[in-house]
Amino acid sequence: MSDIKLFRIGQGGVYELSGTTDTIEKSVQTLFETNLEPLLGVRFLASEFTTSNGARIDTLGLDENGCPVILEYKRSVNENVINQGLFYLDWLMDHRKDFQWLVLEKLGKKEAEAVDWSAPRLICIAGDFNRYDDHAVKQIQRNIELIRYRRFGDELLMLDLVAVTAVKAAPVDAKPSGTAEPGGASGRYKTIGTVIEELDPGMRDRYEALRAYLLALGDDVQETTLRFYVAFKRIKNFACVEFRPTTGRINVFVKVDPASITLEPGFTRDVSNVGHFGTGDLEITLSRPEDLDRALPLIKRSYEDS
């Protein structure tokens, strides 16, 4: 569907590096499973997972938002990997306990109890996709991503987010035990969708200005509304947004090293050792409309590095 070219600049001129894809699916699968977290922000759980109906899911993982992830690798141009992945995704939603037992075994009790079923994902990986794959993804109301890969020599790997469909978080059956609602009163439980709907006009305007900037950073930006925050990502998160309506604050968590900037009390804070929803070690607090202008360079930096 797309053709990305990579060139090496030398003293004698510019030379194109030839991109290749592996024809043997297992080698691709092994490469991704061995490096799943740095490549996609997904923690590896299982390979060739056998379901109760005898099917085999290529790779199972848990993303940085705590959502289940199914990865399927396209063996040939004609293979309908999207439909296959959707079949597995439906099975997973009907067998949540099986997945949570797997998370418990691999990552521990805390992670198993915190699995977020509001936005499960299907990631399809291939050397290339066709126009029909792209069209199909756009018609399906599920969280699906098509990622094209290409190797340039022995040391370079390119990932290209070809197509994506992101839907709003689905309702969940119950709240996590012992979890207080961000932005809500003590003992009160609200989802992030409810919190946004109840924002006062001033906070709503600030959030819409922030959201517009985040989405305008690039065509590859995805917005995912989870239970307790809104995540903005490319292949991995670069900004997570929470709300504190009682104090009029919007908190943005970005992936910028706090040690690389001068922290400003009341505006930026190092949360690398502070528990919080979302991802990112730097917290930016937007209390006034003018705070957004100050925050833009940090948000853009997180986007460019993600």
Side-chain angles (χ1 to χ4, degrees):
M1 286 177 55
S2 60
D3 187 18
I4 293 179
K5 296 183 181 294
L6 187 66
F7 296 87
R8 185 187 303 278
I9 301 174
Q11 293 182 349
V14 176
Y15 307 93
E16 182 178 353
L17 299 180
S18 298
T20 61
T21 58
D22 291 325
T23 56
I24 303 173
E25 179 228 359
K26 189 60 182 178
S27 65
V28 178
Q29 184 172 341
T30 301
L31 172 66
F32 275 86
E33 289 179 348
T34 304
N35 303 281
L36 206 53
E37 196 158 1
L39 288 175
L40 302 176
V42 175
R43 286 167 287 180
F44 173 76
L45 293 176
S47 178
E48 302 296 336
F49 182 83
T50 303
T51 67
S52 59
N53 58 14
R56 294 173 73 88
I57 298 174
D58 286 346
T59 307
L60 272 176
L62 191 72
D63 74 9
E64 53 194 334
N65 298 313
C67 296
V69 181
I70 289 175
L71 294 98
E72 288 294 314
Y73 308 88
K74 191 172 182 179
R75 300 173 178 83
S76 63
V77 175
N78 326 354
E79 186 181 10
N80 199 332
V81 71
I82 299 171
N83 285 350
Q84 183 176 310
L86 287 171
F87 176 80
Y88 295 152
L89 196 57
D90 285 341
W91 178 90
L92 191 65
M93 294 302 291
D94 289 335
H95 296 80
R96 301 183 187 190
K97 289 296 183 184
D98 292 358
F99 183 82
Q100 286 178 290
W101 274 110
L102 179 62
V103 176
L104 177 65
E105 177 186 335
K106 298 292 185 178
L107 302 177
K109 182 179 179 181
K110 181 180 178 181
E111 296 291 348
E113 291 178 343
V115 172
D116 189 338
W117 291 97
S118 61
R121 298 164 60 194
L122 168 62
I123 300 177
C124 300
I125 296 169
D128 206 355
F129 295 94
N130 57 49
R131 69 181 68 180
Y132 305 111
D133 295 326
D134 181 46
H135 179 77
V137 165
K138 292 175 181 176
Q139 305 306 309
I140 300 169
Q141 292 301 302
R142 304 296 289 272
N143 289 310
I144 306 173
E145 296 154 60
L146 304 184
I147 295 180
R148 185 171 75 105
Y149 79 92
R150 183 156 293 182
R151 283 177 166 169
F152 294 88
D154 296 330
E155 297 182 352
L156 298 177
L157 173 69
M158 179 213 71
L159 297 183
D160 180 19
L161 186 60
V162 174
V164 61
T165 300
V167 297
K168 289 186 177 180
V172 291
D173 297 333
K175 66 180 178 180
S177 59
T179 301
E181 167 56 28
S186 178
R188 190 179 181 189
Y189 180 79
K190 295 180 181 179
T191 62
I192 193 68
T194 302
V195 172
I196 292 174
E197 289 176 1
E198 296 178 355
L199 293 177
D200 64 50
M203 281 194 74
R204 176 64 69 90
D205 288 346
R206 274 186 283 138
Y207 174 58
E208 289 301 333
L210 169 65
R211 179 174 179 269
Y213 176 78
L214 291 165
L215 293 175
L217 283 169
D219 293 338
D220 56 349
V221 175
Q222 305 171 56
E223 177 185 17
T224 303
T225 304
L226 297 143
R227 284 184 295 181
F228 304 126
Y229 59 94
V230 183
F232 293 84
K233 65 179 182 176
R234 301 175 81 179
I235 290 178
K236 296 188 283 187
N237 288 354
F238 68 88
C240 293
V241 182
E242 293 181 10
F243 303 90
R244 296 290 184 270
T246 55
T247 56
R249 294 183 290 122
I250 298 174
N251 292 339
V252 186
F253 298 92
V254 296
K255 291 181 176 176
V256 172
D257 183 0
S260 67
I261 67 167
T262 301
L263 298 175
E264 301 178 48
F267 177 61
T268 50
R269 182 169 70 123
D270 181 353
V271 292
S272 55
N273 295 310
V274 178
H276 62 278
F277 290 107
T279 56
D281 289 339
L282 181 68
E283 177 189 73
I284 305 171
T285 298
L286 307 180
S287 301
R288 302 166 299 171
E290 52 267 33
D291 289 335
L292 179 57
D293 288 337
R294 301 165 63 200
L296 296 185
L298 295 172
I299 294 172
K300 186 176 182 182
R301 178 173 162 187
S302 182
Y303 166 80
E304 292 175 344
D305 291 345
S306 66

PDB file of all heavy atoms in Angstrom, residues 6 33 37 75 91 117-118 157 183 193 198 251 293:
ATOM      1  N   LEU A   6      14.553   4.340   2.260  1.00  0.00           N
ATOM      2  CA  LEU A   6      15.562   4.761   3.224  1.00  0.00           C
ATOM      3  C   LEU A   6      16.891   4.900   2.490  1.00  0.00           C
ATOM      4  O   LEU A   6      17.274   4.008   1.712  1.00  0.00           O
ATOM      5  CB  LEU A   6      15.674   3.725   4.354  1.00  0.00           C
ATOM      6  CG  LEU A   6      16.563   4.080   5.536  1.00  0.00           C
ATOM      7  CD1 LEU A   6      15.990   5.266   6.300  1.00  0.00           C
ATOM      8  CD2 LEU A   6      16.694   2.877   6.475  1.00  0.00           C
ATOM      9  N   GLU A  33       8.087 -10.942  19.315  1.00  0.00           N
ATOM     10  CA  GLU A  33       7.849 -11.422  20.677  1.00  0.00           C
ATOM     11  C   GLU A  33       9.042 -11.167  21.581  1.00  0.00           C
ATOM     12  O   GLU A  33       8.890 -10.893  22.772  1.00  0.00           O
ATOM     13  CB  GLU A  33       7.507 -12.908  20.639  1.00  0.00           C
ATOM     14  CG  GLU A  33       6.126 -13.177  20.052  1.00  0.00           C
ATOM     15  CD  GLU A  33       5.780 -14.646  19.980  1.00  0.00           C
ATOM     16  OE1 GLU A  33       6.695 -15.492  20.170  1.00  0.00           O
ATOM     17  OE2 GLU A  33       4.607 -14.969  19.733  1.00  0.00           O
ATOM     18  N   GLU A  37       7.912  -5.098  23.898  1.00  0.00           N
ATOM     19  CA  GLU A  37       7.705  -3.863  24.663  1.00  0.00           C
ATOM     20  C   GLU A  37       8.389  -2.659  24.021  1.00  0.00           C
ATOM     21  O   GLU A  37       7.751  -1.611  23.848  1.00  0.00           O
ATOM     22  CB  GLU A  37       8.142  -4.037  26.118  1.00  0.00           C
ATOM     23  CG  GLU A  37       7.598  -2.956  27.019  1.00  0.00           C
ATOM     24  CD  GLU A  37       7.558  -3.367  28.486  1.00  0.00           C
ATOM     25  OE1 GLU A  37       7.973  -4.484  28.815  1.00  0.00           O
ATOM     26  OE2 GLU A  37       7.100  -2.547  29.286  1.00  0.00           O
ATOM     27  N   ARG A  75       0.774 -14.246   6.792  1.00  0.00           N
ATOM     28  CA  ARG A  75       1.712 -15.144   6.117  1.00  0.00           C
ATOM     29  C   ARG A  75       1.804 -14.877   4.620  1.00  0.00           C
ATOM     30  O   ARG A  75       2.830 -15.094   4.007  1.00  0.00           O
ATOM     31  CB  ARG A  75       1.283 -16.595   6.359  1.00  0.00           C
ATOM     32  CG  ARG A  75       1.256 -17.001   7.821  1.00  0.00           C
ATOM     33  CD  ARG A  75       0.665 -18.393   7.978  1.00  0.00           C
ATOM     34  NE  ARG A  75       0.666 -18.836   9.356  1.00  0.00           N
ATOM     35  CZ  ARG A  75      -0.256 -18.519  10.255  1.00  0.00           C
ATOM     36  NH1 ARG A  75      -1.262 -17.750   9.901  1.00  0.00           N
ATOM     37  NH2 ARG A  75      -0.182 -18.962  11.492  1.00  0.00           N
ATOM     38  N   TRP A  91     -13.452 -14.460  20.932  1.00  0.00           N
ATOM     39  CA  TRP A  91     -13.228 -15.553  21.886  1.00  0.00           C
ATOM     40  C   TRP A  91     -12.658 -14.999  23.185  1.00  0.00           C
ATOM     41  O   TRP A  91     -13.087 -15.374  24.277  1.00  0.00           O
ATOM     42  CB  TRP A  91     -12.272 -16.589  21.298  1.00  0.00           C
ATOM     43  CG  TRP A  91     -11.977 -17.707  22.257  1.00  0.00           C
ATOM     44  CD1 TRP A  91     -12.655 -18.888  22.400  1.00  0.00           C
ATOM     45  CD2 TRP A  91     -10.947 -17.729  23.265  1.00  0.00           C
ATOM     46  NE1 TRP A  91     -12.117 -19.627  23.415  1.00  0.00           N
ATOM     47  CE2 TRP A  91     -11.069 -18.959  23.965  1.00  0.00           C
ATOM     48  CE3 TRP A  91      -9.945 -16.846  23.641  1.00  0.00           C
ATOM     49  CZ2 TRP A  91     -10.218 -19.299  25.010  1.00  0.00           C
ATOM     50  CZ3 TRP A  91      -9.101 -17.180  24.683  1.00  0.00           C
ATOM     51  CH2 TRP A  91      -9.239 -18.399  25.353  1.00  0.00           C
ATOM     52  N   TRP A 117     -10.703  -4.090  30.271  1.00  0.00           N
ATOM     53  CA  TRP A 117     -11.412  -4.718  29.156  1.00  0.00           C
ATOM     54  C   TRP A 117     -12.175  -3.712  28.305  1.00  0.00           C
ATOM     55  O   TRP A 117     -12.915  -4.090  27.398  1.00  0.00           O
ATOM     56  CB  TRP A 117     -12.375  -5.782  29.685  1.00  0.00           C
ATOM     57  CG  TRP A 117     -11.666  -6.969  30.250  1.00  0.00           C
ATOM     58  CD1 TRP A 117     -11.384  -7.215  31.563  1.00  0.00           C
ATOM     59  CD2 TRP A 117     -11.120  -8.067  29.516  1.00  0.00           C
ATOM     60  NE1 TRP A 117     -10.701  -8.401  31.688  1.00  0.00           N
ATOM     61  CE2 TRP A 117     -10.520  -8.945  30.448  1.00  0.00           C
ATOM     62  CE3 TRP A 117     -11.077  -8.391  28.159  1.00  0.00           C
ATOM     63  CZ2 TRP A 117      -9.899 -10.128  30.073  1.00  0.00           C
ATOM     64  CZ3 TRP A 117     -10.454  -9.573  27.776  1.00  0.00           C
ATOM     65  CH2 TRP A 117      -9.875 -10.426  28.729  1.00  0.00           C
ATOM     66  N   SER A 118     -12.007  -2.434  28.572  1.00  0.00           N
ATOM     67  CA  SER A 118     -12.773  -1.434  27.837  1.00  0.00           C
ATOM     68  C   SER A 118     -12.259  -1.206  26.416  1.00  0.00           C
ATOM     69  O   SER A 118     -12.992  -0.720  25.563  1.00  0.00           O
ATOM     70  CB  SER A 118     -12.773  -0.102  28.597  1.00  0.00           C
ATOM     71  OG  SER A 118     -11.453   0.395  28.741  1.00  0.00           O
ATOM     72  N   LEU A 157      15.135  -1.777  11.375  1.00  0.00           N
ATOM     73  CA  LEU A 157      13.778  -2.294  11.241  1.00  0.00           C
ATOM     74  C   LEU A 157      12.820  -1.113  11.187  1.00  0.00           C
ATOM     75  O   LEU A 157      12.843  -0.246  12.063  1.00  0.00           O
ATOM     76  CB  LEU A 157      13.413  -3.197  12.431  1.00  0.00           C
ATOM     77  CG  LEU A 157      11.961  -3.673  12.499  1.00  0.00           C
ATOM     78  CD1 LEU A 157      11.665  -4.657  11.360  1.00  0.00           C
ATOM     79  CD2 LEU A 157      11.664  -4.319  13.858  1.00  0.00           C
ATOM     80  N   GLY A 183     -10.974  12.397  39.791  1.00  0.00           N
ATOM     81  CA  GLY A 183     -11.859  13.516  39.530  1.00  0.00           C
ATOM     82  C   GLY A 183     -13.173  13.436  40.260  1.00  0.00           C
ATOM     83  O   GLY A 183     -13.955  14.370  40.256  1.00  0.00           O
ATOM     84  N   GLY A 193     -15.559   9.062  30.613  1.00  0.00           N
ATOM     85  CA  GLY A 193     -16.579   9.646  29.746  1.00  0.00           C
ATOM     86  C   GLY A 193     -17.564  10.493  30.530  1.00  0.00           C
ATOM     87  O   GLY A 193     -17.940  11.597  30.100  1.00  0.00           O
ATOM     88  N   GLU A 198     -19.337  16.097  32.423  1.00  0.00           N
ATOM     89  CA  GLU A 198     -19.711  16.968  33.530  1.00  0.00           C
ATOM     90  C   GLU A 198     -18.737  18.118  33.764  1.00  0.00           C
ATOM     91  O   GLU A 198     -18.878  18.870  34.729  1.00  0.00           O
ATOM     92  CB  GLU A 198     -19.846  16.131  34.813  1.00  0.00           C
ATOM     93  CG  GLU A 198     -20.966  15.097  34.741  1.00  0.00           C
ATOM     94  CD  GLU A 198     -21.065  14.252  35.992  1.00  0.00           C
ATOM     95  OE1 GLU A 198     -20.197  14.419  36.887  1.00  0.00           O
ATOM     96  OE2 GLU A 198     -21.993  13.434  36.086  1.00  0.00           O
ATOM     97  N   ASN A 251      -4.565  17.135  34.026  1.00  0.00           N
ATOM     98  CA  ASN A 251      -3.213  16.586  34.140  1.00  0.00           C
ATOM     99  C   ASN A 251      -2.863  15.818  32.866  1.00  0.00           C
ATOM    100  O   ASN A 251      -3.632  14.965  32.417  1.00  0.00           O
ATOM    101  CB  ASN A 251      -3.110  15.640  35.337  1.00  0.00           C
ATOM    102  CG  ASN A 251      -3.246  16.363  36.662  1.00  0.00           C
ATOM    103  OD1 ASN A 251      -3.041  17.568  36.739  1.00  0.00           O
ATOM    104  ND2 ASN A 251      -3.603  15.645  37.708  1.00  0.00           N
ATOM    105  N   ASP A 293      -0.044  26.782  26.250  1.00  0.00           N
ATOM    106  CA  ASP A 293       1.059  27.265  25.411  1.00  0.00           C
ATOM    107  C   ASP A 293       2.406  26.852  25.987  1.00  0.00           C
ATOM    108  O   ASP A 293       3.330  26.501  25.245  1.00  0.00           O
ATOM    109  CB  ASP A 293       0.997  28.792  25.286  1.00  0.00           C
ATOM    110  CG  ASP A 293      -0.164  29.250  24.402  1.00  0.00           C
ATOM    111  OD1 ASP A 293      -0.616  28.448  23.572  1.00  0.00           O
ATOM    112  OD2 ASP A 293      -0.612  30.400  24.571  1.00  0.00           O
TER     113      ASP A 293
END
